[in-house]
Amino acid sequence: DVQLVESGGGSVQAGGSLTLSCAIFDSTRSTNCMGWFRQAPGKEREGAASIYRGSGKRVYADSVNGRFTISRDIGNNTVYLRMDILRPEDTAMYYCAASLSGCPLGSDFERYYAYWGQGTQVTVS
């Protein structure tokens, strides 16, 4: 089983930065990919960034590319999302997710990410 616990959300002014953390509890070490997703009120959940656990290859959504950085610490089983130059439209609940296979961020992502954290709120004003 895989359990994910996010932390690091909060309120920040536009142009500021936040770093989210996702602690991964994966007893079988079967996780292949980790992703960060977000959902704003009244909108569908969308992908922000993903990273392959082994290779470290990263994928970013166009809306965050160049401003957000996803990284992983294999030894501490933690994935991070560094968010810079935050905008009001980045306001959302952010979720960490784990996939046992691929790392898509598109509309079919729910087929891949089987495990989800409880979410952490990010508010940009």
Side-chain angles (χ1 to χ4, degrees):
D1 193 16
V2 178
Q3 295 184 354
L4 309 171
V5 180
E6 303 104 330
S7 61
S11 297
V12 65
Q13 290 188 341
S17 299
L18 278 175
T19 298
L20 306 182
S21 300
C22 176
I24 308 162
F25 301 92
D26 179 4
S27 60
T28 61
R29 299 187 179 275
S30 57
T31 302
N32 183 57
C33 173
M34 299 297 302
W36 283 100
F37 295 81
R38 64 186 186 180
Q39 187 167 18
K43 294 187 177 182
E44 294 185 350
R45 192 171 296 188
E46 63 177 11
S50 63
I51 186 168
Y52 282 93
R53 183 175 182 273
S55 68
K57 178 182 176 181
R58 300 172 175 90
V59 180
Y60 294 99
D62 290 343
S63 58
V64 307
N65 196 22
R67 300 187 300 120
F68 290 11
T69 303
I70 188 171
S71 61
R72 81 219 192 285
D73 182 335
I74 295 177
N76 288 323
N77 282 333
T78 303
V79 173
Y80 304 95
L81 185 67
R82 167 76 179 187
M83 304 182 294
D84 294 312
I85 318 175
L86 282 162
R87 304 166 180 166
E89 53 264 39
D90 294 318
T91 296
M93 185 72 79
Y94 282 72
Y95 297 90
C96 176
S99 166
L100 306 184
S101 56
C103 274
L105 297 177
S107 58
D108 63 344
F109 67 82
E110 290 185 350
R111 294 175 52 204
Y112 293 85
Y113 294 89
Y115 304 97
W116 293 82
Q118 80 287 354
T120 185
Q121 179 67 37
V122 172
T123 302
V124 185
S125 60

